[in-house]
């Protein structure tokens, strides 16, 4: 009788702990739904059939830096393709502008890489919430991702050239 009682208590404790975790995750997802609606408005998406928050993840300082480096790499590839196209078409002035953009992208990427290499970035703690979800319109599922400040007060726009959260302490 005692052994089955202990097993029952352990089972109930496991269910209770799992339920608490699920409750916290679902509460966080519910808290992000108004932000998702605001984000979609900024993207000029106002007409959809349903909206679902799939996952709420956290970004640390290190993951924020890596995310910016990835974004800058994608930007660099896109501008490099434009540069090559302009070179083939003989558009000299366009080449100058694109070259300036490529230099700025490279300099910003190097800044983020230097921050990572310095060892000063935290790999724990919440810098931002990264929320992924999707909306459905006309039976088509459209995914989206947006960022929210850790105080859950506003959306954050990822802009490696502007509002770099890693330098806020220096301001």
């Amino acid at each position: 009788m005692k052994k089955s009682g202990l097993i029952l208590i352990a089972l109930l404790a496991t269910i209770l702990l799992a339920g608490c975790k699920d409750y916290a995750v679902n509460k966080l997802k519910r808290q992000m739904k108004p932000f998702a609606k605001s984000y979609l408005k900024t993207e000029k998406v106002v007409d959809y059939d349903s909206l679902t928050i799939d996952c709420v993840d956290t970004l640390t300082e290190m993951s924020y830096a890596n995310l910016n480096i990835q974004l800058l790499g994608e930007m660099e590839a896109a501008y490099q393709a434009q540069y090559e196209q302009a070179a083939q078409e003989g558009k000299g002035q366009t080449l100058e502008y694109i070259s300036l953009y490529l230099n700025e992208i490279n300099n910003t990427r190097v800044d983020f890489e230097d921050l990572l290499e310095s060892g000063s970035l935290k790999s724990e703690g919440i810098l931002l919430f990264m929320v992924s979800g999707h909306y459905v319109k006309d039976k088509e599922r459209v995914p989206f991702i947006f960022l929210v400040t850790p105080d859950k007060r506003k959306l954050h726009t990822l802009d490696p050239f502007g509002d770099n959260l890693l330098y806020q302490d220096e301001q």
Side-chain angles (χ1 to χ4, degrees):
M1 187 78 160
K2 282 186 175 184
K3 194 173 187 180
S4 63
L6 288 175
I7 292 173
L8 181 61
I9 289 173
L11 182 62
L12 287 173
T14 303
I15 291 170
L16 181 62
L17 288 175
C20 289
K21 183 179 178 190
D22 288 345
Y23 175 78
V25 168
N26 288 331
K27 180 180 178 186
L28 189 55
K29 285 181 178 182
R30 282 192 309 275
Q31 290 174 329
M32 295 300 158
K33 203 140 193 185
F35 291 108
K37 291 176 181 177
S38 294
Y39 171 76
L40 291 175
K41 275 185 188 176
T42 64
E43 297 294 310
K44 301 195 180 1
V45 177
V46 292
D47 185 31
Y48 46 87
D49 302 325
S50 67
L51 171 67
T52 303
I53 302 298
D54 298 319
C55 180
V56 180
D57 201 357
T58 58
L59 288 180
T60 63
E61 290 179 352
M62 287 183 73
S63 57
Y64 177 79
N66 281 317
L67 187 62
N68 275 285
I69 290 169
Q70 180 183 355
L71 176 63
L72 290 163
E74 292 170 8
M75 291 171 72
E76 184 176 30
Y79 276 112
Q80 190 63 45
Q82 289 179 21
Y83 184 88
E84 291 168 10
Q85 180 70 30
Q88 288 177 351
E89 295 172 2
K91 296 181 178 178
Q93 186 148 1
T94 302
L95 288 172
E96 290 177 42
Y97 286 123
I98 295 173
S99 180
L100 291 172
Y101 293 141
L102 285 169
N103 284 335
E104 185 64 25
I105 289 168
N106 184 55
N107 292 339
T108 305
R109 182 181 44 76
V110 167
D111 285 345
F112 278 107
E113 288 171 347
D114 287 347
L115 279 170
L116 278 174
E117 291 171 9
S118 74
S120 64
L121 298 181
K122 298 175 189 167
S123 62
E124 295 179 4
I126 300 172
L127 183 65
L128 289 169
F129 287 106
M130 184 168 70
V131 183
S132 60
H134 68 275
Y135 65 90
V136 176
K137 180 176 175 152
D138 300 328
K139 297 182 182 178
E140 181 183 352
R141 186 177 194 261
V142 181
F144 59 85
I145 295 176
F146 62 93
L147 303 170
V148 175
T149 58
D151 61 5
K152 301 177 206 150
R153 292 185 183 222
K154 66 179 185 171
L155 291 168
H156 176 77
T157 302
L158 189 63
D159 177 8
F161 306 107
D163 189 16
N164 182 342
L165 297 178
L166 302 178
Y167 292 128
Q168 282 192 346
D169 290 341
E170 296 175 7
Q171 297 174 352

